[in-house]
Amino acid sequence: MSGSQLSHYFPTNESLVLAVIDWQADSVLGFHRSERFASFDTVEAFQDWTDF
């Protein structure tokens, strides 16, 4: 990717950094909010989360 392409989509360094932070936050939250970890009603469910 060239610098001109990058600056086309992200006109400032701040906009690029914010986009990366937003993407990473969505990725982490999506993982922890998945069906696999939907309920912590038992100690075993919490242990499964920590093991994963």
Side-chain angles (χ1 to χ4, degrees):
M1 173 181 281
S2 71
S4 63
Q5 287 176 315
L6 193 60
S7 64
H8 172 75
Y9 293 103
F10 305 101
T12 65
N13 285 342
E14 181 181 5
S15 65
L16 173 60
V17 170
L18 291 174
V20 171
I21 291 170
D22 187 47
W23 176 83
Q24 187 65 31
D26 286 345
S27 176
V28 170
L29 290 174
F31 170 78
H32 288 287
R33 291 177 178 162
S34 69
E35 286 293 319
R36 178 178 184 153
F37 306 121
S39 177
F40 288 117
D41 54 355
T42 65
V43 172
E44 289 80 18
F46 184 73
Q47 186 65 46
D48 287 344
W49 177 76
T50 59
D51 289 345
F52 192 73

